[in-house]
Amino acid sequence: MNRIIFGIIAAIFILAGLIYWTFKDNSYISFDEDNKTYTIEEKWELPSILNEISGLSYLGNSEMACIQDEDGVIFIFNLEKSKITSRIEFGGSGDYEGIAVAEDTAYVLRSDGKIYEIKNFRSEAPKIDTYQISGLDINETESLEIDVANNRLLFAVKEYNNRKDTKGIYAFDLSTKSLKKGRYFTLDGSDDVYRKLVGGRSSRIIRPSAIRFHPKTGELYVLEGNQPKLIILDEEGNEVKIHILNTETFPQPEALDFDEKNRLYISNESRRQPANILRVKLENK
């Protein structure tokens, strides 16, 4: 009997050791509260219909255009009133992940690379066209930004069908409705700026959930939802700063945008708390 008990205990220790060595390099980024590089200035809890909020775009006048990843509807959320004031249907059920608005035209990205162009999106009869990104081995994409000056959309790939060590940001030409050749920028988790992060190998895996240009500096902000962090790229595409986000405050960050005062907003899906929009002030540490 003693030998059986001893064998069971030994097996448990061996199994625990195997689990440790298997997953020891897959730990999450370590968040350091004492060296936090942001403050939360304001918080808006969202109604349950936006529990799966996946994209937002600031419209001005304290209004946010929001989408969620189940229904083809743009929800207008008023920050001053803290409520949804209107809904605009543009498609059926689907995995909608990114939205970008320029004047009276809204662009929405589905995870499979389908783009919805909704002209006069706040009118009674918006004009809706769709385009499919082709020529790229996309498995999933969640982020969308509009580059008005160059008449193009930018999007970052979250996952490829074939495993790739890097993630690309690509451009979709709005004049030809086609993908531009080559990458606009490349996100590479092997770069030094990622190696300095405290965590295992998985902390350097990049799965972009949103991208946005800073309206004043021209830097590109890349939001990472799986290992919550905000990556800032300069105008040449170099990663110049990473802000690590606390998973308690940012359990599932999915979207970001700036208002007319260059203030940053980040939304979270519902995870252990209601979905929300946070106004975030970054610090230069």
Side-chain angles (χ1 to χ4, degrees), residues 39-70:
T39 55
I40 306 299
E41 294 184 316
E42 197 162 352
K43 176 181 179 179
W44 294 265
E45 289 192 355
L46 299 175
S48 59
I49 190 66
L50 288 174
N51 275 349
E52 301 297 319
I53 184 171
S54 55
L56 58 80
S57 185
Y58 185 75
L59 302 177
N61 297 318
S62 297
E63 290 186 320
M64 286 283 189
C66 306
I67 58 168
Q68 42 101 310
D69 62 10
E70 295 179 349

Side-chain angles (χ1 to χ4, degrees), residues 7 27-28 33 47 57 66 79 87 94-95 98 102 124 126 133 142 163 187 190 192 222 227 235 242 263 267 280:
S27 58
Y28 276 72
E33 181 69 34
S57 185
C66 306
L79 298 172
R87 308 180 187 206
D95 188 12
E124 292 184 0
I133 296 170
E142 293 192 353
R163 186 181 180 90
L187 301 167
S190 66
D192 288 343
V222 179
Q227 297 269 349
E235 294 181 271
I242 295 180
R263 296 180 298 187
S267 66
V280 183

Side-chain angles (χ1 to χ4, degrees), residues 20 22-32 158 194-207 224-229 244-248 250-253 271-272:
Y20 170 77
T22 299
F23 294 101
K24 72 182 182 68
D25 288 328
N26 292 321
S27 58
Y28 276 72
I29 295 172
S30 176
F31 178 78
D32 183 359
K158 183 178 181 181
Y194 300 102
R195 292 183 179 278
K196 296 176 183 177
L197 301 178
V198 179
R201 280 198 303 260
S202 67
S203 68
R204 297 193 290 272
I205 296 174
I206 307 167
R207 296 185 175 95
E224 155 71 59
N226 292 85
Q227 297 269 349
K229 56 184 175 287
I244 306 303
L245 305 177
N246 188 349
T247 56
E248 293 298 316
F250 297 91
Q252 190 67 41
R271 295 291 186 275
R272 307 185 302 275

Side-chain angles (χ1 to χ4, degrees), residues 77-272:
F77 183 82
N78 188 292
L79 298 172
E80 287 186 354
K81 298 178 180 179
S82 293
K83 68 177 184 178
I84 294 171
T85 54
S86 64
R87 308 180 187 206
I88 302 150
E89 294 187 16
F90 65 88
S93 298
D95 188 12
Y96 302 101
E97 294 289 352
I99 183 171
V101 176
E103 296 182 352
D104 61 354
T105 300
Y107 295 92
V108 176
L109 178 67
R110 209 166 65 181
S111 63
D112 60 358
K114 188 172 185 177
I115 298 171
Y116 290 75
E117 180 184 63
I118 309 136
K119 293 182 178 179
N120 298 312
F121 74 100
R122 302 191 76 167
S123 69
E124 292 184 0
K127 183 178 184 298
I128 302 171
D129 292 306
T130 61
Y131 314 102
Q132 183 66 46
I133 296 170
S134 59
L136 187 61
D137 188 31
I138 294 175
N139 180 35
E140 185 178 2
T141 182
E142 293 192 353
S143 51
L144 187 69
E145 171 64 313
I146 185 165
D147 181 359
V148 176
N150 294 291
N151 196 32
R152 62 188 178 185
L153 299 172
L154 299 179
F155 64 94
V157 173
K158 183 178 181 181
E159 302 289 354
Y160 294 99
N161 287 315
N162 295 319
R163 186 181 180 90
K164 288 181 173 66
D165 293 331
T166 62
K167 295 293 169 62
I169 298 175
Y170 297 88
F172 182 85
D173 193 316
L174 287 171
S175 59
T176 62
K177 304 300 188 293
S178 62
L179 181 72
K180 289 192 173 184
K181 292 183 178 179
R183 291 180 173 183
Y184 178 76
F185 286 147
T186 293
L187 301 167
D188 188 350
S190 66
D191 287 350
D192 288 343
V193 69
Y194 300 102
R195 292 183 179 278
K196 296 176 183 177
L197 301 178
V198 179
R201 280 198 303 260
S202 67
S203 68
R204 297 193 290 272
I205 296 174
I206 307 167
R207 296 185 175 95
S209 57
I211 58 174
R212 216 37 123 229
F213 284 116
H214 189 285
K216 183 177 180 180
T217 68
E219 295 170 318
L220 187 65
Y221 282 52
V222 179
L223 185 63
E224 155 71 59
N226 292 85
Q227 297 269 349
K229 56 184 175 287
L230 187 62
I231 307 164
I232 300 178
L233 281 62
D234 65 19
E235 294 181 271
E236 284 72 47
N238 303 305
E239 291 96 327
V240 295
K241 180 70 176 178
I242 295 180
H243 295 272
I244 306 303
L245 305 177
N246 188 349
T247 56
E248 293 298 316
T249 310
F250 297 91
Q252 190 67 41
E254 290 289 330
L256 78 159
D257 206 356
F258 297 90
D259 66 14
E260 67 275 356
K261 297 180 180 179
N262 303 324
R263 296 180 298 187
L264 172 64
Y265 298 80
I266 296 177
S267 66
N268 287 280
E269 287 188 359
S270 174
R271 295 291 186 275
R272 307 185 302 275

